[in-house]
Amino acid sequence: MKRILVPCDFSAAAKHAFQFAVEMAAACNGHVFVLKVMQARQVFGNGMPGQPYMAIDPISMIDEWIAYSEKEFEKMKNKTGRPSGSAELLLETGYVNDVICDVITREKIDLVIMGTDGASGFKEFFIGSHTEKIVRASPVPVMAVHGPFHLDWVKNIVFPTSMELDQKPLVEQIKALQSLFGAVVHLLYVNGFPFTMESNEEAERKLEDYALFYGLKDYTIHVSRGLNIQEGIRKYARRIPNSIIAMGTHGHKGLAHITEGSVAEEVVNHLAEPVWTYVMQ
């Protein structure tokens, strides 16, 4: 987690993400890349519908955008309350989500940290937050930060699991997080909708087997129930102060995303705790 990317529009949410990223970089002897994207514009030419082309902004407008971004970046760095010389500003043009994915590859990013206000209702279904889309598309872990949050606040990692035994890359990532934060891992299995016939005792036994199989240390096990998996996670997480939620996602896209959805994306959109996600292949 030495190369951290923070997509940034200089909103309050983005500034919270940057603060957390700077603290993580200091702990890892890492580097923060702050990405500001100038959204590409489409206009229609020749009065004909269906013929979009990319508008080229006047040089004066681009210069003004660069100057504004550099000024806001310096102000943001100065407000972190700690040295942030290991942070640099990247200025790109294009479509936000595409640019983020390109930069992840180009700069060999290890972790994306994004500030988010979530999404709900019509917006969630038809548009979704940028964070939700990056959670689905990113080849590296993504952490969504919903408000002010500091590295030394993290004492617990809530890890919802389906208890499958083919999740070694995910669990190794969780172990790395645990080492960084010095946190307790709370293994959580949710009997959500559709409810299983499995008893809590049987689920707890499987959680112990799961922890033993992956060599987990300093952990607890819990079984929760809810109307759905998201609700079970929410009910348990609110009982655990100073926690982040860490979970895997299958990164469904297209029709699969609409029909199956993603628990991780719903958790990112609706829970207050920071949420770390990792796309399982």
Side-chain angles (χ1 to χ4, degrees):
M1 292 178 280
K2 290 184 175 293
R3 300 174 71 81
I4 301 171
L5 177 66
V6 181
C8 184
D9 58 3
F10 302 113
S11 64
K15 291 175 182 177
H16 296 321
F18 176 69
Q19 175 75 43
F20 192 77
V22 167
E23 294 175 14
M24 284 197 71
C28 301
N29 192 28
H31 187 75
V32 178
F33 297 87
V34 174
L35 174 63
K36 179 70 173 76
V37 180
M38 187 175 188
Q39 181 75 37
R41 298 185 302 165
Q42 280 190 342
V43 298
F44 290 87
N46 303 322
M48 298 291 292
Q51 295 184 355
Y53 64 86
M54 200 73 69
I56 300 177
D57 292 301
I59 292 177
S60 60
M61 182 179 296
I62 294 175
D63 288 344
E64 181 179 335
W65 171 71
I66 292 173
Y68 167 80
S69 300
E70 291 175 342
K71 179 181 178 181
E72 291 300 307
F73 176 61
E74 290 301 320
K75 286 167 58 178
M76 191 169 66
K77 284 201 302 181
N78 292 336
K79 289 183 178 180
T80 61
R82 61 182 62 219
S84 52
S86 60
E88 68 175 283
L89 177 65
L90 303 177
L91 299 175
E92 305 279 347
T93 60
Y95 297 102
V96 175
N97 297 332
D98 291 342
V99 172
I100 291 172
C101 290
D102 289 344
V103 171
I104 289 171
T105 301
R106 187 186 76 207
E107 300 295 341
K108 299 179 172 61
I109 298 299
D110 300 312
L111 173 68
V112 179
I113 300 181
M114 300 185 71
T116 180
D117 294 321
S120 60
F122 183 91
K123 177 181 177 182
E124 178 181 5
F125 187 80
F126 289 100
I127 303 173
S129 65
H130 284 305
T131 305
E132 174 187 331
K133 293 176 182 178
I134 297 305
V135 163
R136 195 183 317 146
S138 174
V140 301
V142 176
M143 178 170 282
V145 179
H146 297 88
F149 204 82
H150 297 281
L151 189 72
D152 58 6
W153 290 3
V154 183
K155 306 298 180 186
N156 300 285
I157 299 173
V158 176
F159 177 24
T161 176
S162 56
M163 302 189 291
E164 296 167 359
L165 300 182
D166 59 352
Q167 300 177 342
K168 184 176 180 180
L170 169 63
V171 177
E172 290 302 315
Q173 291 275 354
I174 298 291
K175 288 181 178 179
L177 278 180
Q178 181 181 27
S179 177
L180 173 65
F181 296 129
V184 176
V185 170
H186 300 271
L187 277 174
L188 174 66
Y189 178 73
V190 179
N191 270 331
F193 180 81
F195 289 107
T196 69
M197 298 300 292
E198 194 166 49
S199 68
N200 285 2
E201 291 75 14
E202 178 66 12
E204 289 172 356
R205 185 187 65 77
K206 289 184 178 180
L207 282 173
E208 286 287 5
D209 290 344
Y210 181 91
L212 180 63
F213 180 83
Y214 287 114
L216 290 174
K217 298 179 180 178
D218 199 12
Y219 66 89
T220 67
I221 61 170
H222 301 272
V223 177
S224 177
R225 288 188 178 271
L227 296 176
N228 50 47
I229 295 176
Q230 173 195 329
E231 173 67 12
I233 295 171
R234 186 189 66 81
K235 285 173 61 177
Y236 179 71
R238 67 184 180 184
R239 294 165 43 197
I240 309 297
N242 303 110
S243 66
I244 66 169
I245 298 168
M247 59 192 305
T249 176
H250 292 289
H252 294 306
K253 301 177 183 179
L255 182 61
H257 173 253
I258 295 174
T259 57
E260 298 180 35
S262 168
V263 173
E265 292 166 24
E266 292 176 357
V267 169
V268 165
N269 279 336
H270 299 295
L271 271 68
E273 293 81 6
V275 181
W276 176 97
T277 61
Y278 176 79
V279 175
M280 297 182 292
Q281 302 300 324

